[in-house]
Amino acid sequence: VNEQGWGIFLAREGGSKGVAIVVKPDGQAVYRVRMGSSYPVDADLSPDSGSLALLTLQGEGCHLGIYSLNQETELRGWTGEEEIFFEAEYLGGNALLLLSTERALFLDEKCQPVSEFAFKGEFLKDYAVSEEGFIVLALGRHRNGSAARLLTLDRDGRELASLDIQGEAEGLSAAGRWISVLYQDRMVLYDPDLQEKGCLENASGVQASLVREDGSAIVVAGGSATIYQP
C-alpha cells in the first residue's frame, strides 16, 4: 500500500503464471496485468500511483517491468541474468531499489542500474525503506543467524551509517527521518545516522512496531496497539 492508500495484489489466475491487480482505497480494481510466461515475485506502486513496478522470475534470472496505469503494455524494463531479486521498491519519484541475497541495486527513472551496494559475505535479514529516500538494512554474518549490524544507505546507494547491534532485530520500519528496530527486549528509535533517539524498555511482549513520520511509533502487544512517543 502506498502513501495514497492504493494497493497491489499478486495472485494466480487460470491460463497465466500470475496476475498483478491494482486497487484504490475503496477496494475498486483499476488495473490488471496478466503474466503469460513469467511468475510475479513482487510489485510496488509509484508514490503518485501513476505506474506499477512488477518484478518477475524469467529463466535463470528476473525481469523488472514498468507499467503505466493508463495502458496495458510495458513502458520500459530491465532484465537481470542469473540473479534472483526478490524485492522491488520505489525510492521517491521514479527511482527504484531491487534487493537480492547478494546486493542492493539502484535504478534510475529509465530503469537502468546506476549504483549498487554489495553485501560482501554478509546476509540480508531485514530491511525498510523511508519515503525520505533512505534505506535501512539488517545484515548478519551467518546465513541462519541473527543480524549483527544495521546499515543505512541513501537513494544513490552510498553508506550513511553502520551500527553493530547486540540481540536479535525482530522487525524494522522506517518513515520520515525515523527508524524503529524491535529487539527481543526493547524497541529503539534511530535517525538515519543510526543515533539512538528513543527507547521503549521491557518490550518482550511487543509483537510489532511501526514508526511514523513524526517519530512516534505504533506498538502492538497483547492484541492491542498503543502509541509510543520518544
Side-chain angles (χ1 to χ4, degrees):
V1 178
N2 69 0
E3 295 178 22
Q4 297 184 353
W6 291 47
I8 309 168
F9 292 97
L10 299 180
R12 292 184 177 180
E13 189 172 77
S16 71
K17 301 294 187 181
V19 59
I21 303 170
V22 178
V23 297
K24 296 172 66 175
D26 61 4
Q28 177 187 359
V30 295
Y31 189 73
R32 173 188 297 260
V33 179
R34 297 177 77 252
M35 309 308 298
S37 59
S38 56
Y39 293 93
V41 175
D42 192 35
D44 196 24
L45 280 171
S46 61
D48 64 0
S49 302
S51 60
L52 167 71
L54 181 58
L55 183 63
T56 60
L57 295 179
Q58 184 171 292
E60 298 297 321
C62 64
H63 179 75
L64 178 70
I66 307 299
Y67 298 83
S68 168
L69 300 194
N70 296 320
Q71 63 186 64
E72 295 183 2
T73 56
E74 180 182 300
L75 289 177
R76 55 191 176 274
W78 176 82
T79 299
E81 302 289 348
E82 299 182 356
E83 184 175 8
I84 303 298
F85 290 88
F86 54 84
E87 295 284 350
E89 294 273 353
Y90 275 101
L91 294 177
N94 289 314
L96 286 150
L97 166 71
L98 294 181
L99 287 173
S100 74
T101 58
E102 298 179 354
R103 59 176 174 156
L105 182 65
F106 297 81
L107 289 78
D108 63 16
E109 65 279 359
K110 297 179 181 179
C111 217
Q112 296 300 306
V114 292
S115 63
E116 68 171 52
F117 184 89
F119 302 146
K120 295 180 180 178
E122 294 182 292
F123 298 90
L124 180 65
K125 303 297 181 179
D126 200 358
Y127 81 99
V129 178
S130 170
E131 71 282 355
E132 289 288 322
F134 72 86
I135 303 98
V136 56
L137 307 174
L139 299 173
R141 297 188 180 94
H142 306 285
R143 186 180 301 276
N144 296 322
S146 59
R149 69 169 177 140
L150 301 175
L151 177 77
T152 51
L153 305 173
D154 67 15
R155 69 177 62 198
D156 296 316
R158 292 187 292 261
E159 181 175 330
L160 298 174
S162 177
L163 177 69
D164 291 336
I165 59 175
Q166 300 296 323
E168 184 171 355
E170 299 183 340
L172 301 180
S173 72
R177 303 291 294 172
W178 296 84
I179 299 163
S180 73
V181 182
L182 180 61
Y183 298 96
Q184 291 180 323
D185 59 348
R186 68 198 189 282
M187 189 271 292
V188 182
L189 297 180
Y190 301 97
D191 64 15
D193 294 321
L194 295 176
Q195 298 298 307
E196 185 174 320
K197 297 298 181 180
C199 181
L200 175 64
E201 301 285 358
N202 302 316
S204 58
V206 174
Q207 298 160 313
S209 66
L210 181 67
V211 73
R212 304 192 294 185
E213 290 185 5
D214 63 357
S216 63
I218 301 172
V219 178
V220 179
S224 62
T226 57
I227 301 297
Y228 168 75
Q229 297 282 356

